[in-house]
Amino acid sequence: MHIIEKITAHLENRPAELKRLKAQGRKVIGYFPGDYVPEEIIYASGAIPVCLCQGGNPRPVGAALSVTTRFICPFARALIGDRLLGEQPFYNLVDMLVAPVTCQHLRRAADIWQHHSGLPVFRLGVPMENNEQGLKYYRDRLNDLNNQLQVFTGQAVTDESLWKAIGLYNTLRSLLKRISLLRKNSSPAISTIDFIKLNHASFYADPVFMVELLSSLSKELEQSVNEDEKGDNLRLLITGPNIAFGDYKVLEIANELGAQVVAEEFFEGIRYYWGNVEQGGSPVEALANRYFANKVPNGVMPAAASGRYDFIAGLAKEFQVDGIIWYQLLFCETYDIESYYFAHKMKQLSIPVLKIQSDYDVLDRGSIKTRIEAFVEMLKREQASGS
């Protein structure tokens, strides 16, 4: 796919491009994933947003142990280790860090980043209750972020510039959704590995370039869809707390075993593209509604599970999946507890669930493959028996 080659080349050249822009006075603002940091505010300030979402590599996870305990999740340790090692080019270009405080793991990662890098860190508090008071607090923090970015970049942010940035990112999200929905076909026009790689690329690529590329790709894929072509592979949905840029092991193994992952839902690591910012009124108010009030809640929020279960169940029905893989990282205690209740809820809907846990260890590939293989065989037997 020539468009995939284009994005690969763009990402390879992007660090050098960012260095040139930094030499011209532009700032690079890194932020932790979780879909609580509006890129629109960063972009409107004249800065360049970069989501720090690398994972899957055991080396930075191990490097982090020199400054922190092993009892935090591998993704948080990867954030720390990649900064300490200094080998991840995008991480080295960051001038300021925005860290949403959604769990103690990411909070500790932000503390260590600040201690070892000396960079300014803006901690974006995320309320645990989605109510009027919580929305007001989050909106106030977005205003604080907006003000701090204007001081840091020396560029004023107007309502006009914010709405322009919102329009750009709305378009980007809409194109990702358009491409994602093509996987509903019995023979998907794009694999989920390629789709998630595109999603990850959107965090590093120039957004204008990314919109142009996704627009071309969506048209190309739509023309290639064959409604009469029938796929006979099992269809799976993958969900959990995090899937990072580079953490594709589970997806690769499922493909090797003849099962198609056709949909995904994760809190961290990928761009949430199902909802956009509504036009009208105050742009910061609109951003607060989209990034906090009107989105699928994450697992650390009290009473959030039912809304997320309903959303995932809806995806499972819409994409006609045969089973669900729950993929989580070691020491992600909130989601670990929730996995039990999630499996119970899906059982009530007659959707089988397999729980997979990883520490980004290269040695766990064999055991993960064995478990997915057994799950796939079970689903095939159920499919053959018509149950």
Side-chain angles (χ1 to χ4, degrees):
M1 188 181 297
H2 69 281
I3 290 180
I4 298 296
E5 294 170 357
K6 283 185 179 179
I7 188 62
T8 300
H10 178 79
L11 292 184
E12 289 175 351
N13 297 325
R14 184 66 168 159
E17 180 186 8
L18 292 179
K19 288 180 182 178
R20 289 194 297 271
L21 293 171
K22 281 166 64 74
Q24 297 168 13
R26 299 281 296 277
K27 301 293 186 182
V28 175
I29 309 299
Y31 67 95
F32 291 166
D35 201 52
Y36 286 107
V37 180
E39 290 166 295
E40 293 92 334
I41 292 178
I42 298 171
Y43 193 81
S45 74
I48 302 162
V50 172
C51 182
L52 309 177
C53 59
Q54 297 291 135
N57 183 350
R59 187 161 181 268
V61 174
L65 295 178
S66 65
V67 296
T68 190
T69 173
R70 66 183 296 266
F71 299 108
I72 64 173
C73 82
F75 178 68
R77 278 185 279 153
L79 287 171
I80 296 166
D82 270 320
R83 179 68 197 191
L84 295 177
L85 291 172
E87 298 171 355
Q88 219 300 323
F90 290 101
Y91 286 39
N92 297 336
L93 294 168
V94 170
D95 297 302
M96 173 182 171
L97 174 66
V98 180
V101 183
T102 52
C103 72
Q104 292 302 313
H105 302 268
L106 288 186
R107 178 180 180 181
R108 179 56 58 197
D111 292 343
I112 296 173
W113 258 70
Q114 186 169 33
H115 179 76
H116 286 272
S117 70
L119 294 176
V121 175
F122 182 92
R123 289 169 178 78
L124 179 63
V126 179
M128 292 297 99
E129 295 288 345
N130 188 355
N131 52 29
E132 185 177 343
Q133 292 78 18
L135 178 59
K136 180 181 183 304
Y137 173 81
Y138 178 73
R139 184 176 62 246
D140 289 345
R141 290 303 285 153
L142 291 189
N143 278 316
D144 291 340
L145 174 61
N146 189 9
N147 293 334
Q148 186 159 327
L149 284 170
Q150 291 182 72
V151 173
F152 191 67
T153 63
Q155 179 170 315
V157 175
T158 64
D159 284 2
E160 181 182 1
S161 64
L162 260 180
W163 281 122
K164 184 176 180 180
I166 287 169
L168 175 63
Y169 281 95
N170 273 354
T171 302
L172 194 158
R173 286 185 288 260
S174 295
L175 287 167
L176 282 172
K177 181 178 180 180
R178 184 171 162 183
I179 294 170
S180 175
L181 291 174
L182 293 175
R183 295 177 294 166
K184 291 168 58 177
N185 190 270
S186 60
S187 183
I190 185 171
S191 72
T192 290
I193 289 181
D194 282 341
F195 177 75
I196 290 180
K197 286 180 178 179
L198 283 171
N199 191 308
H200 283 151
S202 72
F203 285 133
Y204 294 101
D206 174 77
V208 175
F209 167 86
M210 199 70 199
V211 163
E212 293 172 353
L213 180 137
L214 291 176
S215 180
S216 298
L217 179 61
S218 65
K219 294 173 184 176
E220 179 181 307
L221 292 175
E222 286 166 353
Q223 291 173 358
S224 71
V225 170
N226 184 353
E227 297 289 349
D228 297 326
E229 185 178 356
K230 301 299 180 185
D232 55 2
N233 289 338
L234 287 169
R235 297 170 64 86
L236 302 176
L237 181 150
I238 187 168
T239 187
N242 177 286
I243 191 161
F245 194 146
D247 185 20
Y248 306 129
K249 181 166 32 184
V250 172
L251 297 168
E252 291 167 350
I253 291 172
N255 280 355
E256 291 170 11
L257 296 172
Q260 289 180 317
V261 177
V262 295
E264 78 294 318
E265 198 285 322
F266 284 92
F267 162 44
E268 291 175 348
I270 65 173
R271 181 185 301 279
Y272 180 82
Y273 52 84
W274 293 104
N276 269 331
V277 180
E278 294 185 7
Q279 299 284 335
S282 160
V284 173
E285 182 93 28
L287 286 167
N289 286 329
R290 187 267 173 208
Y291 280 88
F292 178 74
N294 301 330
K295 63 177 284 188
V296 178
N298 69 67
V300 301
M301 291 184 171
S306 60
R308 193 166 57 264
Y309 294 173
D310 290 344
F311 179 75
I312 295 172
L315 284 182
K317 181 178 180 181
E318 184 176 8
F319 284 80
Q320 298 181 320
V321 305
D322 301 294
I324 294 176
I325 293 177
W326 174 284
Y327 175 59
Q328 69 176 62
L329 300 178
L330 199 64
F331 305 122
C332 188
E333 62 280 344
T334 300
Y335 278 86
D336 190 33
I337 293 169
E338 187 176 301
S339 64
Y340 170 83
Y341 298 98
F342 177 82
H344 180 71
K345 177 67 175 179
M346 294 303 111
K347 185 177 181 180
Q348 293 176 343
L349 301 174
S350 299
I351 305 174
V353 175
L354 171 67
K355 177 181 174 182
I356 295 292
Q357 190 166 250
S358 173
D359 194 24
Y360 290 164
D361 191 333
V362 294
L363 298 178
D364 65 7
R365 186 180 182 91
S367 60
I368 289 175
K369 183 174 182 178
T370 298
R371 299 195 64 222
I372 295 178
E373 187 172 24
F375 186 60
V376 168
E377 289 302 318
M378 181 199 74
L379 293 177
K380 286 181 178 178
R381 289 195 299 270
E382 289 185 355
Q383 194 177 66
S385 66
S387 60

